[in-house]
Amino acid sequence: DTGVSQDPRHKITKRGQNVTFRCDPISEHNRLYWYRQTLGQGPEFLTYFQNEAQLEKSRLLSDRFSAERPKGSFSTLEIQRTEQGDSAMYLCASDKGGQRANYGYTFGSGTRLTVV
Amino acid sequence: TQLLEQSPQFLSIQEGENLTVYCNSSSVFSSLQWYRQEPGEGPVLLVTVVTGGEVKKLKRLTFQFGDARKDSSLHITAAQPGDTGLYLCAGMPHNTNAGKSTFGDGTTLTVKP
């Protein structure tokens, strides 16, 4: 297993276009998380999955954002009608889940989105 | 208001110096993690602390979890240029069900040769 993989690493898009990112977690990890990070800030939670079930979605996330994990393996994050404020690093992470405490995530290298 | 406050925000030191960075909250945490992040990459997990008062060492890095599980510190001895990066603390508040971690905004450390 090569860790958490994210594709693409970089994406430049015009305002108003739709974009989709993919994340492949560590195979034995049940939980998959999406975070967004802007310059000078820590990662901000977007949503997470336990297997194929989306358990929580941030209230900060507009209806333009949607995420899926159809077979409990890889996940996609789609942003519709992108805005300049969506420019950020989108991070995917995974862990085994199923614990009362969080013992830490394995992150991917992220997808850097630039909306022009 | 940030759930986890990290200080200082920026720290620039010379190689060989010691340093301590802090992660504070008014909330109790079930566990707390420290990550290091380099530009253009995702955070990399350094350590998880679970028990109040716990001390963990990782080579020249010493991590401490406060007795009340509300705060943590990271001490680096004899810093090296390779220690340069963004240090993030993260945790899950004790009064929530198992789920997402909340992150602080990090301390950006620069170690000059």
Side-chain angles (χ1 to χ4, degrees):
Chain A
D1 200 334
T2 56
V4 178
S5 299
Q6 291 190 246
D7 183 70
R9 289 294 310 274
H10 304 275
K11 179 70 177 179
I12 300 174
T13 191
K14 292 184 178 180
R15 189 175 55 186
Q17 297 294 305
N18 299 343
V19 294
T20 300
F21 310 140
R22 177 179 170 122
C23 172
D24 287 87
I26 292 174
S27 57
E28 61 264 29
H29 283 182
N30 298 322
R31 288 197 171 177
L32 184 149
Y33 306 81
W34 285 100
Y35 282 79
R36 176 174 63 189
Q37 186 178 26
T38 54
L39 197 62
Q41 305 290 319
E44 175 187 40
F45 171 76
L46 295 179
T47 188
Y48 85 97
F49 294 83
Q50 170 88 25
N51 299 314
E52 67 274 10
Q54 188 173 18
L55 296 187
E56 187 174 349
K57 184 175 177 180
S58 170
R59 288 172 293 176
L60 301 175
L61 216 56
S62 76
D63 291 341
R64 295 184 298 106
F65 288 72
S66 62
E68 294 182 340
R69 194 182 183 197
K71 296 182 179 180
S73 56
F74 73 92
S75 176
T76 58
L77 177 67
E78 181 183 17
I79 308 175
Q80 297 181 328
R81 305 181 302 283
T82 52
E83 302 173 355
Q84 287 188 322
D86 297 332
S87 295
M89 173 78 90
Y90 289 83
L91 294 164
C92 176
S94 68
D95 71 4
K96 290 184 179 179
Q99 304 138 344
R100 290 187 59 82
N102 183 338
Y103 290 93
Y105 300 153
T106 302
F107 277 92
S109 296
T111 294
R112 169 72 64 188
L113 173 67
T114 303
V115 182
V116 298
Chain B
T1 304
Q2 277 282 75
L3 188 60
L4 286 167
E5 297 283 350
Q6 292 192 244
S7 62
Q9 186 177 359
F10 298 97
L11 186 57
S12 181
I13 61 171
Q14 293 293 133
E15 182 176 3
E17 293 183 357
N18 301 332
L19 67 114
T20 302
V21 297
Y22 301 92
C23 175
N24 295 297
S25 178
S26 58
S27 297
V28 176
F29 284 83
S30 304
S31 64
L32 197 140
Q33 293 81 44
W34 284 92
Y35 295 82
R36 187 168 78 94
Q37 185 177 24
E38 296 189 15
E41 296 294 329
V44 175
L45 180 66
L46 297 174
V47 77
T48 294
V49 287
V50 178
T51 305
E54 183 176 5
V55 176
K56 283 192 174 181
K57 293 191 175 184
L58 185 66
K59 298 183 180 179
R60 294 175 294 101
L61 279 59
T62 301
F63 305 86
Q64 186 162 8
F65 201 13
D67 291 342
R69 292 184 290 146
K70 292 182 178 182
D71 54 83
S72 182
S73 63
L74 159 59
H75 181 81
I76 301 178
T77 303
Q80 299 176 0
D83 295 327
T84 293
L86 176 66
Y87 288 83
L88 294 160
C89 68
M92 188 174 67
H94 182 66
N95 60 350
T96 61
N97 294 323
K100 64 183 187 291
S101 281
T102 297
F103 283 78
D105 284 336
T107 292
T108 299
L109 172 65
T110 303
V111 182
K112 300 176 183 176

